[in-house]
Structure formats: structure tokens, C-alpha cells
Amino acid sequence: RQQKWKSSVSTQAKMPPCDFVPEKYESYPYERVQKIREQNLAPSLRTYYKEPLLLHQGHMQWLFDHEGRRYLDFFAGIVTVSVGHCHPKVTMATQKQLARLWHTTNIYMYPAIHEYAEKLTSLFPDPLKVVYLTNSGSEANDLAMFMARLHTRNFDIICLRGGYHGGSPYTLGLTSLTPYKHGVANGFGCTTTMLPDVFRGPWGGSHCRDSPVQTVRKCNCTEGACHAKDQYIEQFKDTLNTSVPKTVAGFIAEPMQGVNGAVQYPRNFLKEAYQLIRERGGLCISDEVQTGFGRTGSHFWGFQTHGVVPDIVTLAKGIGNGFPMGAVVTTKEIASSLAQNLHFNTFGGNPLACVVGAAVLDAIEEDGLQKNSEDVGTYMLLELAKLRDKFEIVGDVRGKGLMIGVEMVTDKDSRRPLPAEEINQIWEDCKDMGVLIGRGGLYSQTFRIKPPMCITKRDVDFAVEVFHTALKRHVERAA
């Protein structure tokens, strides 16, 4: 039985049907859950929405709350549910392994880690054929920094402003977003450089990025030339010439920034940046925690969209469809730097995680999810671009595949971020109409749309219509 919406918002959009029936919710009442949260859970664990959702069950792209209400999940547990909530194939493989063997740790051999290592590394170009398994993305990036420093015998690592690479004390030096910074010393040896953001940054034009939708900024660059890219590379060189020693340990970047709201760089920026780093003895690290596993549509890994081969790649989130796991993939030579002494991870690559990881890779292939990301993602980007053309407050629509950002502004000329209270209202309205989306950006001004890769065009039509309704309501409120 589907409960009626307790929504103050009416929309013409009709939620696509779903024949899955959730179990009856039988846990604590909502008020008790809230009380426990206040008393027993660390307050740093924040919730979304004025009335936080109490979620009870998930099925593919759908989530159900404690009252049986259904939501279209367009944020996928922060870009983590790659193949769909409780995907039957992944669930079945996990259940079988649960009854067989949970844990031995790496001091013994067991089939799952070898089967998975072969399967995962077969998806990477040479020489990226060696994997070290971890439990999270922060852990993977931590280890990547450590490996780069050990291997090069240099210390300094360069990162882009606006990047998110984890919240552990070591990776906080790479994470360049103020809300994640704490007032204690961290990040020794990490240097930020200007973000080549072609919408919000000082330079950008109408052909810069690898996306079906370009910025509203104009430029007169000829085919193959990009003024913005050249300017941002000059800034990168400036950082190398002033802020770090002559030799560096490495450079880390997401192929497309995730937490910062699907920020894309000009074409060929990464290619030239990689070259500059390698000239200074450094390694290039691609953080694929959000962009990996076919999410960008055209390629399986985000770095492939830039025509580069990194020295180290870090993975997490979508790797396990919600199961806690991560990985560092690198060359045999770089991985050997870690073997001079002990480096041990109790849970990394445990039998359960490896079975989940392998089942996720099978599901991506069998369900055609990379192709679906490209087709449905491109369709959604073009539909959202129509809303950008219609509403002054929709400043930018960008992304690739099912990694999408919609940046909200007071007006397109100033590109000033839309105030938080106005964004909150649009966001709450979308939730009330049954669509869950994320937030990101330096000022929390960008809606992040990164759904499970199994969504359909019908889901997109519903979500875009809901977003359209929320924008119209905003205009009415403002008037």
C-alpha cells in the first residue's frame, strides 16, 4: 500500500510505476530514532532535510521510508550505489559468500581476492595491473599519497582547489573545501593550485569541456585551441615554479570534481598537467572514487576521458555498490615501494568484499550500465539545459554520463551563488515531490545528480518535471 504524499507541493509529474512492494516497517518510531540520534550518535554526522528521512528499504533506483513512501534516488548514497539498491545478482553472490567464509585476512590465500584482482585489473590499461584493496576512498587516497612519497623519495603533492579526496588526517591536506577543514595542523606537504573551472573561474568559454552542455560564456577560440586551458596551465606552472621544490612526489585530481559539483576542466588540461608533474619526477594520481565504473558513459574510467594514463588510480564508492571497500591500482614497480617494510590492512580485500566487488563488475557488464549512463545521462543533461535556458537562476548545467551538476546563481551575468535558504527550498520541494538529489560546491550552490546507473529515461522525465515545478515555485515565491 503506497501512502499518499504529505506534500505541500503539487506537480503534474507522475512517478514512474514500480512493482516492488517494501516490507512493513517494524523498527523504532520516528521520534525515538531522532532521540537516539541526538543522544548516542556523533553530532558531526549530519542529516539532509528539515525533517530527515527515515529510510527502511531500497530496490534498484527506489528508496522507501518508514511510512512506505517511495522516492526516486538521484544521489545514490553519495554516488555509491552504482548498479542499484539491493541488486539481485550482487545480493545473491553476497548471501552465498556469507554462508561460506567471511574473513581470514591476507596471511592466508582464498579464491575471492585472486578472482577479483584478475577481474578488476583486466579493466585497466598497462602497466596499471597491481591492486591493493582497502575499505574506503579516504584510505585509498591516503595510501596513494604514501606510495607516491615512498616511490619518488619526494614529499610535496599538488592538488586542485575545490577537490575532495577524503576526511582522514592525511587526506585532509588534499581536500580543499573549507567545511571539511578543522582548526588543527594538517596537510603538511600538500599545495593547492587554481581550479580550472570554466564556469566560475576567471577563464572559460563555449567549447572548453567534454560535455553535451557547454557554459553560457562566450569565446572565439578556433578548433583545437583553448584560451582558458592555456591560462589555467600558466597558473599550474606558476604553482610549480613558486610553491614547491624542483622535484615533487605527485599530483592528484578527480577527472571531474565530485563534491564540488561535477566541475569539469578544459580539454587537455590534465594531459598537460601530468606532463609537467612527470618532468619534475612526480607521479600522477587519478581519484576515480566518484567517476569510475562506467559512470561517465563514454569510458569505464574517468581518466580515459582525458586521454591520459595515471601512475596510480584510487577507487571506492561504486566499487561495492554500498559495501565498504576501496582500492589502489598502480604499477608493479610503484607497489613494490610499499613492500620494503610491512603495510597491513586487516579488512582490505576480505572474502566478502571481493565477492561483492566481482558481482558489481558482472552487473555493470550484464545490465549494460556504462551504455545506459551515456544514453540516459546525455538525455538528462540536454533536458536540464532547457531549464537553464528558461530560468535565470540556473547558471550552469554540466557533466558527462550520470555525473551531473546544476549550479544555481542569482543571475547568469554575476554568477553569484544563489543564497542557501533559496536553494534549500527548491531542494526540499524536490524531496517532497519524491526526488532525492545531492548538494555540493564551495557555497553548497550546486545540485549534484548522480543516480544509480540503472535509471531510465522515464525516471529522468519525472525528475526533470519535478525540478521544473520546484523552480517555478521559487519564481512565484520571489515574485
Side-chain angles (χ1 to χ4, degrees):
R1 188 173 63 86
Q2 195 77 24
Q3 288 231 356
K4 281 278 168 269
W5 282 98
K6 290 192 298 194
S7 170
S8 56
V9 193
S10 63
T11 175
Q12 300 304 301
K14 207 162 159 34
M15 188 180 271
C18 165
D19 51 15
F20 179 82
V21 181
E23 296 162 20
K24 191 174 182 302
Y25 176 80
E26 286 173 341
S27 186
Y28 295 159
Y30 189 90
E31 291 67 31
R32 185 171 176 197
V33 170
Q34 272 193 311
K35 199 163 185 178
I36 293 169
R37 194 169 184 100
E38 282 163 26
Q39 291 174 352
N40 306 115
L41 280 176
S44 56
L45 298 172
R46 298 181 189 174
T47 50
Y48 268 13
Y49 305 119
K50 281 196 296 249
E51 280 184 40
L53 293 176
L54 175 51
L55 295 172
H56 159 55
Q57 198 162 0
H59 172 72
M60 301 308 281
Q61 65 269 52
W62 304 104
L63 283 168
F64 300 85
D65 73 6
H66 67 298
E67 293 181 312
R69 279 194 301 257
R70 177 161 60 105
Y71 297 87
L72 181 58
D73 182 5
F74 260 42
F75 200 29
I78 317 188
V79 211
T80 299
V81 179
S82 46
V83 298
H85 292 280
C86 304
H87 188 289
K89 183 180 184 75
V90 183
T91 302
M92 204 162 72
T94 311
Q95 284 168 341
K96 269 172 81 173
Q97 187 61 35
L98 268 170
R100 188 184 295 135
L101 180 69
W102 284 27
H103 180 77
T104 67
T105 208
N106 282 297
I107 52 173
Y108 311 113
M109 295 203 295
Y110 43 92
I113 194 170
H114 301 86
E115 290 167 13
Y116 182 57
E118 183 181 55
K119 195 172 237 174
L120 181 66
T121 56
S122 74
L123 297 163
F124 282 89
D126 282 326
L128 298 168
K129 295 293 175 187
V130 179
V131 60
Y132 191 110
L133 293 161
T134 66
N135 309 292
S136 74
S138 296
E139 222 178 273
N141 282 331
D142 223 55
L143 185 57
M145 292 171 80
F146 193 42
M147 278 184 178
R149 285 168 168 168
L150 280 173
H151 185 72
T152 61
R153 295 288 172 205
N154 298 328
F155 192 69
D156 293 75
I157 296 182
I158 293 171
C159 53
L160 297 175
R161 291 178 197 138
Y164 179 85
H165 301 285
S168 60
Y170 215 15
T171 55
L172 268 178
L174 303 176
T175 290
S176 306
L177 291 154
T178 305
Y180 292 94
K181 297 288 191 184
H182 296 263
V184 294
N186 76 62
F188 183 49
C190 300
T191 300
T192 68
T193 189
M194 184 187 275
L195 170 62
D197 179 345
V198 297
F199 173 70
R200 178 159 292 285
W203 305 285
S206 43
H207 315 288
C208 299
R209 60 190 181 204
D210 176 18
S211 173
V213 184
Q214 297 293 334
T215 69
V216 291
R217 297 172 83 169
K218 293 285 166 266
C219 69
N220 43 22
C221 296
T222 54
E223 186 68 35
C226 181
H227 173 74
K229 184 264 295 170
D230 295 342
Q231 294 300 317
Y232 288 119
I233 284 293
E234 283 307 313
Q235 291 293 320
F236 196 81
K237 286 178 181 169
D238 198 47
T239 300
L240 287 172
N241 293 335
T242 59
S243 306
V244 290
K246 285 190 176 69
T247 55
V248 296
F251 165 57
I252 187 168
E254 304 157 86
M256 188 189 316
Q257 287 191 334
V259 176
N260 199 17
V263 172
Q264 292 178 280
Y265 325 128
R267 287 185 182 90
N268 294 318
F269 172 83
L270 271 193
K271 195 175 263 189
E272 292 188 27
Y274 273 26
Q275 201 179 326
L276 291 166
I277 289 295
R278 284 170 173 155
E279 284 167 9
R280 285 161 176 78
L283 300 183
C284 300
I285 305 167
S286 183
D287 177 336
E288 298 275 347
V289 170
Q290 296 191 30
T291 50
F293 299 94
R295 182 165 285 281
T296 63
S298 64
H299 295 78
F300 203 79
W301 307 114
F303 66 78
Q304 294 168 315
T305 67
H306 294 273
V308 295
V309 178
D311 303 294
I312 303 177
V313 179
T314 56
L315 310 169
K317 289 191 183 282
I319 194 174
N321 200 45
F323 194 90
M325 61 187 296
V328 178
V329 178
T330 187
T331 68
K332 193 154 191 109
E333 196 191 357
I334 293 167
S336 299
S337 314
L338 203 60
Q340 295 156 19
N341 291 297
L342 270 177
H343 184 84
F344 188 74
N345 189 315
T346 301
F347 295 112
N350 103 340
L352 211 48
C354 291
V355 164
V356 170
V360 167
L361 292 178
D362 290 346
I364 292 170
E365 189 178 359
E366 287 164 24
D367 298 356
L369 296 183
Q370 183 183 330
K371 177 91 173 79
N372 195 59
S373 292
E374 181 163 40
D375 294 348
V376 178
T378 301
Y379 176 70
M380 179 157 39
L381 278 158
L382 295 173
E383 289 299 302
L384 289 167
K386 293 175 190 171
L387 297 183
R388 180 195 64 184
D389 297 342
K390 190 172 175 177
F391 292 92
E392 185 62 25
I393 56 168
V394 181
D396 196 30
V397 168
R398 55 178 175 255
K400 191 171 165 63
L402 289 174
M403 181 107 179
I404 296 172
V406 180
E407 185 159 347
M408 308 300 289
V409 294
T410 54
D411 61 282
K412 287 184 175 71
D413 283 342
S414 74
R415 304 197 289 277
R416 263 200 307 274
L418 194 67
E421 58 276 12
E422 295 183 46
I423 290 192
N424 288 347
Q425 193 61 61
I426 295 167
W427 189 50
E428 293 274 355
D429 283 351
C430 287
K431 183 262 287 182
D432 286 348
M433 289 183 274
V435 179
L436 307 180
I437 52 178
R439 293 275 294 277
L442 299 180
Y443 313 99
S444 204
Q445 83 282 22
T446 304
F447 290 122
R448 297 169 66 196
I449 299 172
K450 293 146 187 199
M453 297 188 290
C454 58
I455 64 154
T456 65
K457 286 184 181 174
R458 199 169 172 185
D459 297 332
V460 169
D461 289 337
F462 169 65
V464 170
E465 186 51 49
V466 160
F467 189 52
H468 189 187
T469 304
L471 291 173
K472 281 192 296 197
R473 286 202 76 200
H474 175 274
V475 171
E476 285 159 20
R477 272 194 303 269

